[in-house]
Coordinates of all heavy atoms in Angstrom, one line a residue:
M1 N -59.0 10.2 -48.1 CA -59.3 10.2 -46.7 C -59.1 11.6 -46.2 O -58.0 12.0 -45.9 CB -58.5 9.2 -45.9 CG -58.9 7.8 -46.1 SD -57.9 6.7 -45.2 CE -57.4 5.6 -46.4
A2 N -60.1 12.4 -46.1 CA -60.0 13.8 -45.6 C -60.0 13.8 -44.1 O -60.9 13.2 -43.4 CB -61.1 14.6 -46.1
S3 N -59.0 14.5 -43.5 CA -59.1 14.6 -42.0 C -59.9 15.8 -41.7 O -60.0 16.8 -42.4 CB -57.7 14.8 -41.5 OG -57.1 15.9 -42.0
T4 N -60.6 15.8 -40.5 CA -61.4 16.9 -40.1 C -60.6 17.8 -39.2 O -59.9 17.4 -38.4 CB -62.6 16.3 -39.4 OG1 -63.3 15.4 -40.2 CG2 -63.6 17.4 -39.0
N5 N -60.9 19.1 -39.4 CA -60.2 20.1 -38.7 C -60.6 20.0 -37.2 O -61.8 19.8 -36.9 CB -60.6 21.4 -39.2 CG -59.9 22.6 -38.6 OD1 -59.3 22.5 -37.5 ND2 -60.0 23.7 -39.3
P6 N -59.7 20.0 -36.2 CA -60.1 19.9 -34.8 C -61.1 21.0 -34.4 O -61.9 20.8 -33.5 CB -58.8 20.1 -34.0 CG -57.7 19.7 -35.0 CD -58.3 20.0 -36.4
R7 N -61.0 22.2 -35.0 CA -62.0 23.3 -34.7 C -63.4 22.8 -35.1 O -64.4 23.1 -34.4 CB -61.6 24.5 -35.5 CG -62.5 25.7 -35.2 CD -61.9 27.0 -35.8 NE -62.8 28.1 -35.5 CZ -63.8 28.5 -36.3 NH1 -64.0 27.9 -37.4 NH2 -64.5 29.5 -35.9
N8 N -63.5 22.2 -36.3 CA -64.8 21.7 -36.7 C -65.3 20.6 -35.7 O -66.5 20.6 -35.5 CB -64.8 21.2 -38.1 CG -64.5 22.2 -39.1 OD1 -64.7 23.4 -38.8 ND2 -64.1 21.8 -40.3
L9 N -64.4 19.8 -35.2 CA -64.9 18.8 -34.2 C -65.4 19.4 -33.0 O -66.4 19.0 -32.4 CB -63.7 17.8 -33.9 CG -63.3 16.9 -35.1 CD1 -62.1 16.1 -34.7 CD2 -64.5 16.0 -35.5
R10 N -64.7 20.5 -32.5 CA -65.2 21.2 -31.3 C -66.6 21.8 -31.6 O -67.4 21.8 -30.7 CB -64.2 22.2 -30.9 CG -63.0 21.6 -30.2 CD -62.2 22.7 -29.5 NE -61.5 23.7 -30.4 CZ -60.3 23.5 -31.0 NH1 -59.6 22.4 -30.7 NH2 -59.9 24.4 -31.8
L11 N -66.7 22.4 -32.8 CA -68.0 23.0 -33.1 C -69.1 21.9 -33.1 O -70.2 22.1 -32.6 CB -67.9 23.7 -34.4 CG -67.2 25.0 -34.4 CD1 -67.1 25.6 -35.9 CD2 -67.9 26.0 -33.6
A12 N -68.8 20.8 -33.7 CA -69.8 19.7 -33.8 C -70.1 19.2 -32.4 O -71.2 18.9 -32.1 CB -69.2 18.6 -34.7
A13 N -69.1 19.1 -31.5 CA -69.4 18.7 -30.1 C -70.2 19.7 -29.4 O -71.1 19.3 -28.6 CB -68.0 18.5 -29.4
G14 N -70.0 21.0 -29.6 CA -70.9 22.0 -29.0 C -72.3 21.9 -29.6 O -73.3 22.0 -28.8
A15 N -72.4 21.7 -30.9 CA -73.8 21.5 -31.4 C -74.5 20.3 -30.8 O -75.7 20.3 -30.6 CB -73.7 21.4 -32.9
A16 N -73.7 19.2 -30.6 CA -74.3 18.0 -30.0 C -74.8 18.3 -28.6 O -75.8 17.8 -28.2 CB -73.2 16.9 -30.0
L17 N -74.0 19.1 -27.9 CA -74.4 19.4 -26.5 C -75.7 20.2 -26.5 O -76.6 20.0 -25.7 CB -73.3 20.2 -25.8 CG -73.6 20.6 -24.3 CD1 -73.7 19.4 -23.5 CD2 -72.4 21.5 -23.8
V18 N -75.8 21.2 -27.5 CA -77.0 22.0 -27.6 C -78.2 21.1 -27.9 O -79.3 21.2 -27.3 CB -76.8 23.1 -28.6 CG1 -78.2 23.8 -28.9 CG2 -75.8 24.1 -28.1
V19 N -78.1 20.2 -28.9 CA -79.1 19.3 -29.3 C -79.6 18.4 -28.2 O -80.7 18.2 -27.9 CB -78.7 18.5 -30.6 CG1 -79.7 17.4 -30.9 CG2 -78.6 19.5 -31.8
A20 N -78.6 17.9 -27.5 CA -78.9 17.0 -26.4 C -79.6 17.7 -25.2 O -80.6 17.2 -24.7 CB -77.6 16.4 -25.8
T21 N -79.2 18.9 -25.0 CA -79.9 19.8 -23.9 C -81.3 20.0 -24.3 O -82.3 19.9 -23.5 CB -79.2 21.1 -23.7 OG1 -77.8 20.8 -23.4 CG2 -79.8 21.9 -22.7
V22 N -81.6 20.4 -25.6 CA -82.9 20.6 -26.1 C -83.8 19.3 -26.0 O -84.9 19.3 -25.6 CB -82.9 21.2 -27.5 CG1 -84.3 21.2 -28.1 CG2 -82.3 22.6 -27.5
C23 N -83.1 18.2 -26.3 CA -83.8 16.9 -26.3 C -84.2 16.6 -24.8 O -85.4 16.2 -24.6 CB -82.9 15.8 -26.8 SG -83.7 14.2 -26.8
G24 N -83.3 16.8 -23.9 CA -83.6 16.6 -22.5 C -84.7 17.5 -21.9 O -85.6 17.1 -21.2
A25 N -84.6 18.8 -22.3 CA -85.6 19.8 -21.8 C -87.0 19.5 -22.4 O -88.0 19.6 -21.7 CB -85.1 21.2 -22.2
T26 N -87.0 19.1 -23.7 CA -88.3 18.8 -24.3 C -88.9 17.6 -23.6 O -90.1 17.6 -23.3 CB -88.1 18.5 -25.8 OG1 -87.5 19.6 -26.4 CG2 -89.4 18.2 -26.4
T27 N -88.1 16.6 -23.3 CA -88.6 15.4 -22.6 C -89.2 15.8 -21.2 O -90.3 15.4 -20.8 CB -87.5 14.4 -22.4 OG1 -87.1 14.0 -23.7 CG2 -88.0 13.2 -21.7
A28 N -88.5 16.6 -20.5 CA -88.9 17.0 -19.1 C -90.2 17.9 -19.2 O -91.1 17.7 -18.4 CB -87.8 17.8 -18.4
I29 N -90.3 18.7 -20.2 CA -91.5 19.6 -20.3 C -92.7 18.8 -20.7 O -93.8 19.0 -20.2 CB -91.1 20.7 -21.3 CG1 -90.2 21.7 -20.7 CG2 -92.4 21.4 -21.7 CD1 -89.6 22.7 -21.7
R30 N -92.5 17.9 -21.6 CA -93.6 17.0 -22.1 C -94.1 16.2 -20.9 O -95.3 15.9 -20.8 CB -93.2 16.1 -23.2 CG -93.0 17.0 -24.5 CD -92.6 16.1 -25.6 NE -93.7 15.3 -26.0 CZ -93.6 14.3 -26.9 NH1 -92.4 14.0 -27.5 NH2 -94.7 13.6 -27.2
L31 N -93.2 15.6 -20.0 CA -93.6 14.9 -18.9 C -94.4 15.7 -17.9 O -95.3 15.2 -17.2 CB -92.4 14.2 -18.2 CG -91.8 13.0 -19.0 CD1 -90.6 12.5 -18.3 CD2 -92.9 11.9 -19.1
D32 N -94.0 17.0 -17.8 CA -94.6 17.9 -16.8 C -96.1 18.1 -17.2 O -97.0 18.2 -16.3 CB -93.9 19.2 -16.8 CG -94.4 20.1 -15.7 OD1 -94.5 19.6 -14.6 OD2 -94.7 21.3 -16.0
A33 N -96.4 18.0 -18.5 CA -97.8 18.1 -18.9 C -98.7 17.0 -18.4 O -99.9 17.1 -18.4 CB -97.9 18.2 -20.4
Y34 N -98.1 15.9 -18.0 CA -98.8 14.7 -17.6 C -98.8 14.6 -16.0 O -99.0 13.6 -15.4 CB -98.2 13.4 -18.1 CG -98.5 13.3 -19.6 CD1 -97.5 13.6 -20.5 CD2 -99.7 12.9 -20.1 CE1 -97.7 13.5 -21.9 CE2 -99.9 12.7 -21.4 CZ -98.9 13.1 -22.3 OH -99.2 13.0 -23.7
N35 N -98.5 15.7 -15.4 CA -98.4 15.8 -13.9 C -97.4 14.9 -13.3 O -97.6 14.4 -12.2 CB -99.8 15.7 -13.3 CG -100.7 16.8 -13.6 OD1 -100.2 18.0 -13.8 ND2 -102.0 16.5 -13.8
V36 N -96.3 14.6 -14.0 CA -95.3 13.8 -13.4 C -94.5 14.6 -12.4 O -94.3 15.8 -12.6 CB -94.3 13.3 -14.6 CG1 -93.1 12.6 -14.0 CG2 -95.1 12.4 -15.6
P37 N -94.2 14.1 -11.2 CA -93.4 14.9 -10.3 C -92.2 15.5 -10.8 O -91.5 14.9 -11.7 CB -93.1 13.9 -9.2 CG -94.1 12.8 -9.3 CD -94.4 12.7 -10.8
F38 N -91.9 16.8 -10.4 CA -90.8 17.5 -10.9 C -89.5 16.8 -10.9 O -88.8 16.7 -11.9 CB -90.7 18.9 -10.2 CG -89.6 19.7 -10.7 CD1 -89.7 20.4 -11.9 CD2 -88.3 19.8 -9.9 CE1 -88.6 21.2 -12.3 CE2 -87.3 20.6 -10.4 CZ -87.4 21.3 -11.6
S39 N -89.2 16.1 -9.8 CA -87.9 15.4 -9.7 C -87.8 14.3 -10.7 O -86.8 14.0 -11.3 CB -87.7 14.9 -8.3 OG -88.7 14.0 -7.9
L40 N -88.9 13.6 -10.9 CA -88.9 12.5 -11.9 C -88.8 13.0 -13.3 O -88.1 12.5 -14.2 CB -90.2 11.7 -11.7 CG -90.3 10.4 -12.6 CD1 -89.1 9.5 -12.3 CD2 -91.6 9.7 -12.3
A41 N -89.4 14.1 -13.6 CA -89.3 14.8 -14.9 C -87.9 15.2 -15.2 O -87.4 15.0 -16.3 CB -90.3 15.9 -15.1
V42 N -87.3 15.8 -14.1 CA -85.9 16.2 -14.3 C -85.0 15.0 -14.5 O -84.1 15.0 -15.4 CB -85.4 17.0 -13.1 CG1 -83.9 17.2 -13.1 CG2 -86.1 18.4 -13.1
A43 N -85.2 14.0 -13.8 CA -84.4 12.8 -13.9 C -84.5 12.2 -15.3 O -83.5 11.8 -16.0 CB -84.7 11.7 -12.9
C44 N -85.7 12.1 -15.8 CA -86.0 11.6 -17.2 C -85.4 12.5 -18.2 O -84.8 12.0 -19.2 CB -87.5 11.4 -17.4 SG -88.2 10.1 -16.5
G45 N -85.5 13.8 -18.0 CA -84.9 14.8 -19.0 C -83.4 14.6 -19.0 O -82.7 14.7 -20.1
L46 N -82.8 14.5 -17.8 CA -81.3 14.3 -17.8 C -80.9 13.0 -18.5 O -79.9 12.9 -19.2 CB -80.8 14.3 -16.4 CG -80.8 15.7 -15.7 CD1 -80.4 15.6 -14.2 CD2 -79.9 16.7 -16.4
G47 N -81.7 11.9 -18.3 CA -81.4 10.7 -18.9 C -81.5 10.8 -20.4 O -80.6 10.3 -21.2
A48 N -82.5 11.4 -20.9 CA -82.7 11.6 -22.4 C -81.6 12.5 -22.9 O -81.0 12.2 -24.0 CB -84.0 12.3 -22.7
A49 N -81.2 13.5 -22.2 CA -80.1 14.4 -22.6 C -78.8 13.7 -22.7 O -78.0 13.8 -23.7 CB -80.0 15.6 -21.7
S50 N -78.5 12.9 -21.6 CA -77.2 12.2 -21.7 C -77.1 11.1 -22.7 O -76.1 10.9 -23.4 CB -76.9 11.6 -20.3 OG -77.8 10.6 -19.9
T51 N -78.3 10.4 -23.0 CA -78.3 9.4 -24.0 C -78.1 10.1 -25.4 O -77.3 9.6 -26.2 CB -79.6 8.7 -24.0 OG1 -79.8 8.1 -22.7 CG2 -79.7 7.6 -25.1
A52 N -78.8 11.2 -25.6 CA -78.7 11.9 -26.9 C -77.2 12.4 -27.1 O -76.7 12.3 -28.2 CB -79.7 13.0 -27.0
F53 N -76.6 12.9 -26.0 CA -75.3 13.4 -26.1 C -74.3 12.3 -26.4 O -73.4 12.5 -27.2 CB -74.9 14.2 -24.8 CG -73.6 14.9 -24.9 CD1 -73.4 15.9 -25.7 CD2 -72.5 14.4 -24.1 CE1 -72.2 16.5 -25.8 CE2 -71.3 15.0 -24.2 CZ -71.1 16.1 -25.0
A54 N -74.5 11.2 -25.8 CA -73.6 10.0 -26.0 C -73.7 9.6 -27.5 O -72.6 9.3 -28.1 CB -73.9 8.9 -25.0
L55 N -74.9 9.5 -28.0 CA -75.0 9.0 -29.3 C -74.5 10.0 -30.3 O -73.8 9.7 -31.3 CB -76.5 8.8 -29.6 CG -77.2 7.6 -29.0 CD1 -78.7 7.6 -29.2 CD2 -76.6 6.3 -29.5
L56 N -74.7 11.3 -30.1 CA -74.2 12.3 -31.0 C -72.7 12.4 -30.9 O -72.1 12.6 -32.0 CB -74.9 13.7 -30.7 CG -76.4 13.8 -31.0 CD1 -76.9 15.1 -30.4 CD2 -76.6 13.7 -32.5
M57 N -72.1 12.2 -29.8 CA -70.7 12.3 -29.7 C -70.0 11.1 -30.4 O -68.9 11.2 -30.9 CB -70.2 12.4 -28.2 CG -70.4 13.7 -27.6 SD -69.7 15.1 -28.6 CE -68.0 14.8 -28.4
R58 N -70.7 10.0 -30.4 CA -70.2 8.8 -31.2 C -70.1 9.2 -32.7 O -69.2 8.9 -33.4 CB -71.0 7.6 -30.9 CG -70.7 7.0 -29.6 CD -71.4 5.6 -29.5 NE -70.8 4.7 -30.4 CZ -70.0 3.7 -30.0 NH1 -69.8 3.5 -28.8 NH2 -69.5 2.9 -30.9
L59 N -71.2 9.9 -33.1 CA -71.2 10.3 -34.5 C -70.1 11.3 -34.8 O -69.5 11.3 -35.8 CB -72.6 10.9 -34.8 CG -73.7 9.9 -34.9 CD1 -75.1 10.6 -35.2 CD2 -73.5 8.9 -36.0
V60 N -69.9 12.3 -33.9 CA -68.9 13.3 -34.1 C -67.5 12.6 -34.1 O -66.7 13.0 -34.9 CB -69.0 14.3 -32.9 CG1 -67.8 15.2 -32.9 CG2 -70.3 15.2 -33.1
G61 N -67.4 11.6 -33.3 CA -66.1 10.9 -33.2 C -65.9 10.2 -34.6 O -64.7 10.1 -35.0
R62 N -66.9 9.7 -35.1 CA -66.7 9.0 -36.4 C -66.4 10.0 -37.5 O -65.6 9.6 -38.4 CB -68.0 8.3 -36.8 CG -68.4 7.1 -36.0 CD -67.6 5.9 -36.4 NE -67.9 4.9 -35.4 CZ -68.0 3.7 -35.7 NH1 -67.9 3.3 -37.0 NH2 -68.2 2.7 -34.8
L63 N -66.9 11.2 -37.4 CA -66.6 12.2 -38.5 C -65.1 12.5 -38.5 O -64.5 12.7 -39.6 CB -67.4 13.5 -38.2 CG -68.9 13.4 -38.4 CD1 -69.5 14.7 -38.1 CD2 -69.2 13.1 -39.9
G64 N -64.5 12.6 -37.4 CA -63.1 13.0 -37.3 C -62.1 11.9 -37.2 O -60.9 12.2 -37.1
T65 N -62.5 10.7 -37.4 CA -61.7 9.6 -37.3 C -61.3 9.0 -38.6 O -62.2 8.8 -39.5 CB -62.3 8.5 -36.4 OG1 -62.5 9.0 -35.1 CG2 -61.3 7.3 -36.2
T66 N -60.0 8.8 -38.8 CA -59.6 8.1 -40.1 C -59.0 6.7 -39.6 O -58.3 6.6 -38.7 CB -58.4 8.9 -40.7 OG1 -58.9 10.2 -41.0 CG2 -58.1 8.3 -42.0
V67 N -59.4 5.7 -40.3 CA -59.0 4.3 -40.1 C -58.1 3.9 -41.2 O -58.4 3.9 -42.3 CB -60.2 3.4 -39.9 CG1 -59.7 2.0 -39.6 CG2 -61.1 3.8 -38.8
Y68 N -56.9 3.4 -40.8 CA -55.9 2.8 -41.8 C -55.9 1.3 -41.5 O -55.7 0.9 -40.4 CB -54.6 3.4 -41.6 CG -54.5 4.9 -42.0 CD1 -54.4 5.8 -41.0 CD2 -54.6 5.3 -43.3 CE1 -54.4 7.2 -41.3 CE2 -54.6 6.6 -43.6 CZ -54.5 7.6 -42.6 OH -54.5 8.9 -43.0
A69 N -56.1 0.5 -42.5 CA -56.1 -0.9 -42.4 C -55.0 -1.5 -43.2 O -54.6 -0.9 -44.3 CB -57.5 -1.5 -42.8
C70 N -54.5 -2.6 -42.8 CA -53.5 -3.4 -43.5 C -54.1 -3.9 -44.8 O -55.2 -4.4 -44.8 CB -53.0 -4.5 -42.7 SG -51.8 -5.5 -43.5
P71 N -53.4 -3.8 -45.9 CA -53.9 -4.2 -47.2 C -53.9 -5.7 -47.4 O -54.4 -6.2 -48.4 CB -53.1 -3.5 -48.3 CG -51.8 -3.2 -47.5 CD -52.1 -3.0 -46.1
V72 N -53.2 -6.5 -46.5 CA -53.1 -7.9 -46.7 C -54.4 -8.6 -46.4 O -55.1 -8.3 -45.3 CB -51.9 -8.5 -45.8 CG1 -51.9 -10.0 -45.7 CG2 -50.6 -7.9 -46.2
D73 N -54.8 -9.5 -47.2 CA -56.1 -10.2 -47.0 C -56.1 -10.9 -45.7 O -55.2 -11.7 -45.4 CB -56.3 -11.2 -48.2 CG -57.2 -10.7 -49.2 OD1 -57.8 -9.6 -49.0 OD2 -57.4 -11.3 -50.3
G74 N -57.1 -10.7 -44.9 CA -57.3 -11.5 -43.6 C -56.6 -10.8 -42.5 O -56.9 -11.2 -41.3
C75 N -55.7 -9.9 -42.7 CA -55.0 -9.2 -41.6 C -56.0 -8.2 -40.9 O -56.6 -7.4 -41.6 CB -53.7 -8.5 -42.0 SG -52.9 -7.7 -40.7
N76 N -56.1 -8.3 -39.6 CA -57.0 -7.4 -38.9 C -56.4 -6.2 -38.3 O -56.9 -5.6 -37.4 CB -57.9 -8.2 -37.9 CG -57.0 -8.9 -36.9 OD1 -55.8 -8.6 -36.8 ND2 -57.6 -9.8 -36.1
F77 N -55.2 -5.8 -38.7 CA -54.5 -4.7 -38.1 C -55.2 -3.4 -38.6 O -55.4 -3.2 -39.8 CB -53.0 -4.6 -38.6 CG -52.3 -3.4 -38.1 CD1 -51.7 -3.4 -36.8 CD2 -52.2 -2.3 -38.9 CE1 -51.0 -2.3 -36.4 CE2 -51.5 -1.2 -38.4 CZ -50.9 -1.2 -37.2
R78 N -55.6 -2.6 -37.6 CA -56.2 -1.3 -38.0 C -55.6 -0.2 -37.0 O -55.4 -0.5 -35.8 CB -57.7 -1.3 -37.8 CG -58.4 -2.3 -38.7 CD -59.9 -2.0 -38.8 NE -60.6 -3.0 -39.5 CZ -60.4 -3.6 -40.6 NH1 -59.3 -3.3 -41.2 NH2 -61.2 -4.4 -41.2
A79 N -55.5 1.0 -37.5 CA -55.0 2.1 -36.7 C -56.1 3.2 -36.9 O -56.4 3.6 -38.1 CB -53.7 2.5 -37.2
R80 N -56.5 3.8 -35.8 CA -57.5 4.9 -35.9 C -56.8 6.1 -35.4 O -56.1 6.2 -34.4 CB -58.7 4.6 -35.0 CG -59.5 3.4 -35.4 CD -60.6 3.2 -34.3 NE -61.2 1.9 -34.6 CZ -62.2 1.7 -35.4 NH1 -62.7 2.7 -36.1 NH2 -62.7 0.5 -35.6
L81 N -57.1 7.2 -36.1 CA -56.5 8.6 -35.8 C -57.7 9.6 -35.7 O -58.5 9.6 -36.6 CB -55.5 9.0 -36.8 CG -54.1 8.6 -36.7 CD1 -53.3 9.1 -37.8 CD2 -53.5 9.0 -35.4
T82 N -57.6 10.4 -34.6 CA -58.6 11.4 -34.5 C -57.9 12.7 -34.3 O -57.0 12.9 -33.4 CB -59.6 11.2 -33.3 OG1 -60.2 9.9 -33.5 CG2 -60.6 12.2 -33.1
A83 N -58.2 13.7 -35.2 CA -57.7 15.0 -35.1 C -56.2 15.0 -35.0 O -55.6 15.7 -34.1 CB -58.3 15.8 -33.9
A84 N -55.5 14.3 -35.9 CA -54.0 14.2 -35.8 C -53.5 15.1 -37.0 O -54.1 15.5 -37.9 CB -53.6 12.8 -36.0
S85 N -52.2 15.3 -36.9 CA -51.5 16.1 -37.9 C -51.2 15.3 -39.2 O -51.3 14.1 -39.1 CB -50.1 16.6 -37.3 OG -49.3 15.4 -37.2
P86 N -51.0 16.0 -40.3 CA -50.7 15.3 -41.5 C -49.5 14.3 -41.4 O -49.5 13.3 -42.0 CB -50.4 16.4 -42.5 CG -51.2 17.5 -42.0 CD -51.1 17.4 -40.5
A87 N -48.5 14.7 -40.6 CA -47.3 13.8 -40.4 C -47.8 12.5 -39.7 O -47.3 11.4 -40.0 CB -46.3 14.5 -39.5
D88 N -48.7 12.6 -38.7 CA -49.2 11.4 -38.0 C -49.9 10.5 -39.0 O -49.8 9.3 -38.9 CB -50.1 11.8 -36.8 CG -49.3 12.4 -35.7 OD1 -48.1 12.2 -35.6 OD2 -49.9 13.2 -34.9
H89 N -50.7 11.2 -39.8 CA -51.5 10.4 -40.8 C -50.6 9.6 -41.8 O -50.7 8.5 -42.0 CB -52.4 11.3 -41.6 CG -53.7 11.7 -40.9 ND1 -54.7 10.8 -40.8 CD2 -54.0 12.8 -40.2 CE1 -55.7 11.4 -40.1 NE2 -55.3 12.6 -39.7
R90 N -49.5 10.3 -42.2 CA -48.6 9.7 -43.1 C -47.9 8.6 -42.4 O -47.7 7.5 -43.0 CB -47.6 10.7 -43.6 CG -46.6 10.2 -44.7 CD -45.7 11.2 -45.2 NE -44.9 11.9 -44.2 CZ -45.1 13.2 -43.8 NH1 -46.0 13.9 -44.4 NH2 -44.4 13.8 -42.9
R91 N -47.5 8.8 -41.1 CA -46.7 7.7 -40.4 C -47.6 6.5 -40.2 O -47.2 5.4 -40.4 CB -46.3 8.3 -39.0 CG -45.4 7.4 -38.3 CD -44.9 8.1 -37.0 NE -45.9 8.7 -36.2 CZ -46.7 8.1 -35.3 NH1 -46.5 6.8 -35.1 NH2 -47.6 8.8 -34.7
L92 N -48.8 6.7 -39.8 CA -49.7 5.5 -39.6 C -50.1 4.8 -40.9 O -50.3 3.6 -40.9 CB -50.9 5.9 -38.8 CG -51.0 5.2 -37.5 CD1 -49.8 5.4 -36.6 CD2 -52.3 5.5 -36.8
R93 N -50.3 5.6 -42.0 CA -50.6 5.0 -43.3 C -49.4 4.1 -43.7 O -49.6 2.9 -44.1 CB -50.8 6.1 -44.3 CG -51.3 5.5 -45.7 CD -51.5 6.7 -46.7 NE -52.1 7.8 -46.1 CZ -51.4 9.0 -46.2 NH1 -50.3 9.2 -46.7 NH2 -52.0 10.1 -45.6
E94 N -48.2 4.5 -43.5 CA -47.0 3.7 -43.8 C -47.0 2.5 -42.9 O -46.6 1.4 -43.3 CB -45.8 4.5 -43.7 CG -45.7 5.6 -44.8 CD -44.5 6.6 -44.6 OE1 -43.8 6.4 -43.6 OE2 -44.4 7.5 -45.4
A95 N -47.2 2.7 -41.6 CA -47.2 1.6 -40.7 C -48.2 0.5 -41.0 O -48.0 -0.7 -40.9 CB -47.4 2.1 -39.2
A96 N -49.4 1.0 -41.4 CA -50.5 0.0 -41.7 C -50.1 -0.8 -43.0 O -50.4 -2.0 -43.1 CB -51.8 0.7 -41.9
A97 N -49.4 -0.2 -43.9 CA -49.0 -0.8 -45.1 C -47.9 -1.8 -44.9 O -47.7 -2.8 -45.6 CB -48.7 0.2 -46.2
A98 N -47.0 -1.6 -43.9 CA -45.8 -2.4 -43.8 C -45.5 -2.6 -42.3 O -44.4 -2.4 -41.9 CB -44.6 -1.7 -44.5
H99 N -46.4 -3.2 -41.6 CA -46.1 -3.5 -40.2 C -45.5 -5.0 -40.2 O -45.7 -5.8 -41.1 CB -47.4 -3.4 -39.3 CG -48.4 -4.3 -39.7 ND1 -48.7 -5.5 -39.1 CD2 -49.4 -4.2 -40.7 CE1 -49.7 -6.1 -39.6 NE2 -50.2 -5.3 -40.6
P100 N -44.7 -5.3 -39.2 CA -43.8 -6.5 -39.2 C -44.6 -7.8 -39.1 O -44.3 -8.8 -39.7 CB -42.8 -6.3 -38.1 CG -43.5 -5.3 -37.2 CD -44.3 -4.4 -38.1
A101 N -45.7 -7.8 -38.3 CA -46.4 -9.1 -38.1 C -47.8 -8.9 -38.4 O -48.5 -8.2 -37.8 CB -46.2 -9.5 -36.6
H102 N -48.2 -9.6 -39.4 CA -49.7 -9.6 -39.9 C -50.5 -10.5 -38.9 O -50.1 -11.6 -38.6 CB -49.8 -10.1 -41.3 CG -49.1 -9.2 -42.3 ND1 -49.6 -7.9 -42.6 CD2 -47.9 -9.3 -42.9 CE1 -48.8 -7.3 -43.4 NE2 -47.8 -8.2 -43.6
H103 N -51.6 -10.0 -38.5 CA -52.5 -10.6 -37.5 C -53.6 -11.4 -38.3 O -54.7 -11.0 -38.2 CB -53.1 -9.7 -36.6 CG -52.1 -8.8 -35.9 ND1 -51.3 -9.3 -34.8 CD2 -51.6 -7.5 -36.1 CE1 -50.5 -8.3 -34.4 NE2 -50.7 -7.3 -35.2
V104 N -53.3 -12.4 -39.0 CA -54.3 -13.2 -39.7 C -54.9 -14.2 -38.7 O -54.2 -15.0 -38.2 CB -53.7 -13.9 -40.9 CG1 -54.7 -14.7 -41.6 CG2 -53.0 -12.9 -41.8
P105 N -56.2 -14.0 -38.5 CA -56.9 -15.0 -37.5 C -56.9 -16.4 -38.1 O -57.1 -16.6 -39.3 CB -58.3 -14.4 -37.4 CG -58.5 -13.4 -38.5 CD -57.1 -13.1 -39.0
R106 N -56.7 -17.4 -37.2 CA -56.7 -18.8 -37.6 C -58.2 -19.2 -37.8 O -59.0 -18.9 -37.0 CB -56.0 -19.7 -36.6 CG -54.6 -19.3 -36.5 CD -53.9 -20.2 -35.5 NE -52.5 -19.8 -35.3 CZ -51.8 -20.0 -34.2 NH1 -52.4 -20.5 -33.2 NH2 -50.6 -19.5 -34.1
S107 N -58.4 -20.0 -38.8 CA -59.7 -20.5 -39.1 C -59.9 -21.9 -38.8 O -59.0 -22.6 -38.4 CB -60.1 -20.3 -40.6 OG -59.1 -20.8 -41.4
Ligands
ZN201 ZN1 -51.2 -6.8 -41.8

């Protein structure tokens, strides 16, 4: 489980912002070609940009997140860490392996 450098996460977030901005601008420009009113084209462009940014940030979040799960069958204990130190990773790995109460769902 490789942890991602926080600097790389910031770079990925910046790249996501650029891609989302281009996506929104492209949408607005394409709508302008169909004589859509400017305010409506801007609104659609902002909507497309915000949607693209939200999706890309979810992906960026997945890249930098490490999930530690309990090894006991049926236990649903999980701990997620994003951009944490190696000491935090070690602490949560140990906690996931030996937490006091296993959360086995009743069937
Ligand atoms: Zn457990």
Side-chain angles (χ1 to χ4, degrees):
M1 290 181 227
S3 63
T4 304
N5 186 343
R7 183 173 180 267
N8 292 341
L9 290 177
R10 283 193 296 271
L11 287 174
L17 182 62
V18 169
V19 169
T21 302
V22 169
C23 179
T26 303
T27 300
I29 289 169
R30 290 179 69 190
L31 286 174
D32 190 49
Y34 293 98
N35 293 327
V36 173
F38 178 75
S39 60
L40 187 56
V42 168
C44 290
L46 288 174
S50 64
T51 301
F53 186 67
L55 290 174
L56 291 170
M57 285 308 292
R58 286 188 68 105
L59 290 176
V60 168
R62 294 280 172 140
L63 288 177
T65 300
T66 304
V67 178
Y68 295 107
C70 178
V72 172
D73 262 350
C75 181
N76 58 10
F77 177 84
R78 297 200 188 313
R80 296 177 191 274
L81 274 178
T82 301
S85 69
D88 290 336
H89 281 280
R90 184 177 54 251
R91 186 172 51 84
L92 241 57
R93 188 179 322 117
E94 291 169 2
H99 62 100
H102 296 286
H103 306 282
V104 179
R106 295 183 184 151
S107 53

